[in-house]
Amino acid sequence: MRKNSRLEKPVNATITAVGMYTPDKILDNKYFESILDTSDEWITSRTGIKERRILENGGTSVMATKAMEDLIKTYNVNPEEIDAIIVATITPDMFFPSTSCLVQDNIGAKNAWAFDMAAACSGFLFALQTGASLIESGAYKKVAVIGADKMSSIVDYTDRNTCLLFGDGAAAVLLEGTEDLEYGLIDTKLYSDGAGRKSLYMKAGGSATPPTHETIDQRLHYVYQDGKAVFKVAVKGMADVAVEVMERNGLTSEDVAYLVPHQANLRIIDATAKRMGLTDDKVCKNIQKYGNTTAATIPLCIVEYFKEGKIKKGDNLILAAFGGGFTWGGAYIKWSLD
Ligand code: COA
């Protein structure tokens, strides 16, 4: 047995506290009509987005910290009892140190080790699986998993193909072990396919193409997306994995309380729900308010729906995401928080 394992009975990782933060500044579709050749009608009908939030000062760690502060205050969590912090993000404050280290310091989690995880829009699912493994191993008792992105820092506000799709936000969950194996994170199925890298990426700024005057002039430090190509694979990838997770856990559409989908495009969300046989009232959506907040979308949806009293103890949730990499995946959670 591993030296730092304290496990006597098997446990599932389950969410025992939640928190969220979205910045106050709103960019609505009218704003984009004023700066680009676009319309509220086009944006709404093609994406479902009406507004997005923008962080004016500071980096992603500001929002991740505020989401954790909300969690700590609401659930009276002692930050010194947190063993590990994972921040899923593709917009870290800086290359290093990690954003999670900044959060660790900001909230006074002086006994936690902290690291970032980059899996774009699937980041929260990848981090959730990683955090759950730390709990299930018995080595750690309390792991914070945060999805946070300041997409406004990497989108080109002169490119109508991308800029209006994204927004900023953060949400956090605390994972702990439960010996009641009916509850918590029951299953995940995660995928990566790097062959998709040319359809959705940032062309410069990393170690392969460090920043130069030319790369800046050519606006290569922004999100590039071949929207049509990504749409095709996203719609299939997200629906396939959501159905796969349902089937391998013997769940019918009746059994599912909510689909919690990544919020990139309302048409992708609706297609996924249709493949799962779910009615619209069983689909968590916040794309109209926040756009695509990348790693934050799924936890923001969960936390908002829970805070509004819609997600209840015992509910079966299916999470599904698709994003840059490509990365995609699904998860099955039986909700245990009252
Ligand atoms: N306003 C008005 N017209 C626009 C526009 C805008 N903001 N952006 C594009 N158009 C135009 C295009 O130029 C094109 O015109 P054309 O037919 O004359 O060439 C037309 O609208 C259709 O463009 P297209 O790219 O085919 O639109 P779309 O229906 O595919 O929608 C996205 C574009 C980006 C919304 C959609 O492709 C999408 O959501 N892709 C997947 C996103 C995703 O899941 N990403 C993964 C996670 S980040």
Side-chain angles (χ1 to χ4, degrees):
M1 194 143 185
R2 254 158 55 81
K3 204 172 174 191
N4 57 349
S5 175
R6 300 184 291 272
L7 207 59
E8 280 157 27
K9 283 189 187 163
V11 294
N12 275 355
T14 196
I15 293 171
T16 57
V18 298
M20 61 175 277
Y21 175 76
T22 53
D24 293 335
K25 183 175 174 182
I26 294 174
L27 290 189
D28 62 12
N29 290 348
K30 285 257 168 286
Y31 169 76
F32 288 97
E33 283 183 349
S34 75
I35 62 162
L36 294 166
D37 178 17
T38 190
S39 65
D40 175 40
E41 197 283 324
W42 190 96
I43 301 169
T44 307
S45 64
R46 305 310 292 162
T47 72
I49 302 167
K50 285 287 194 188
E51 296 177 352
R52 35 333 252 145
R53 299 300 178 99
I54 303 297
L55 182 71
E56 292 186 275
N57 298 309
T60 295
S61 69
V62 170
M63 297 186 293
T65 299
K66 285 185 189 287
M68 278 305 293
E69 285 169 351
D70 179 34
L71 180 155
I72 287 164
K73 192 164 160 238
T74 311
Y75 293 87
N76 205 17
V77 172
N78 178 356
E80 295 186 12
E81 288 179 3
I82 298 173
D83 297 308
I85 299 170
I86 310 172
V87 175
T89 188
I90 54 160
T91 51
D93 285 38
M94 52 199 89
F95 270 160
F96 70 92
S98 65
T99 298
S100 54
C101 279
L102 307 180
V103 174
Q104 177 272 335
D105 180 46
N106 290 345
I107 64 172
K110 63 180 190 194
N111 297 307
W113 60 293
F115 61 98
D116 288 1
M117 178 156 289
C121 299
S122 311
F124 183 75
L125 292 190
F126 282 38
L128 193 64
Q129 168 60 63
T130 307
S133 303
L134 298 179
I135 299 284
E136 289 158 6
S137 74
Y140 301 99
K141 292 243 188 279
K142 296 190 187 200
V143 177
V145 176
I146 306 166
D149 268 302
K150 184 184 175 183
M151 295 304 291
S152 63
S153 67
I154 58 165
V155 295
D156 180 354
Y157 283 95
T158 66
D159 176 12
R160 73 174 184 170
N161 292 305
T162 51
C163 68
L164 40 78
L165 302 173
F166 295 98
D168 304 338
V173 301
L174 188 69
L175 296 177
E176 294 183 70
T178 172
E179 287 179 4
D180 186 345
L181 301 182
E182 282 210 5
Y183 285 97
L185 182 64
I186 309 290
D187 191 21
T188 60
K189 189 76 187 85
L190 307 173
Y191 294 96
S192 295
D193 181 3
R197 61 188 174 277
K198 287 289 166 69
S199 299
L200 180 51
Y201 71 125
M202 193 190 279
K203 294 182 175 177
S207 58
T209 315
T212 61
H213 285 295
E214 288 73 36
T215 61
I216 304 265
D217 288 344
Q218 292 166 31
R219 310 180 80 74
L220 302 181
H221 304 85
Y222 294 119
V223 172
Y224 165 81
Q225 174 170 252
D226 177 348
K228 252 192 202 52
V230 177
F231 188 90
K232 266 190 215 147
V233 279
V235 92
K236 180 166 171 10
M238 221 163 93
D240 281 355
V241 77
V243 169
E244 183 182 3
V245 170
M246 271 174 82
E247 284 178 356
R248 63 191 228 158
N249 290 283
L251 297 172
T252 66
S253 54
E254 301 287 298
D255 303 321
V256 175
Y258 284 106
L259 162 68
V260 189
H262 176 59
Q263 314 275 313
N265 188 310
L266 193 55
R267 291 180 288 147
I268 300 175
I269 295 171
D270 289 345
T272 303
K274 195 169 166 205
R275 276 276 305 283
M276 295 168 73
L278 298 182
T279 47
D280 201 46
D281 55 317
K282 288 188 166 190
V283 185
C284 296
K285 292 178 201 172
N286 60 14
I287 188 169
Q288 67 286 358
K289 290 194 287 186
Y290 302 134
N292 182 351
T293 54
T294 304
T297 65
I298 286 183
L300 269 179
C301 250
I302 293 178
V303 178
E304 267 197 340
Y305 271 67
F306 176 65
K307 285 192 177 208
E308 288 166 7
K310 293 177 185 160
I311 292 177
K312 297 192 178 68
K313 185 171 179 179
D315 277 353
N316 292 320
L317 309 181
I318 300 290
L319 285 46
F322 190 96
F326 295 134
T327 57
W328 68 106
Y332 166 30
I333 291 175
K334 191 182 259 303
W335 192 257
S336 63
L337 199 53
D338 273 320

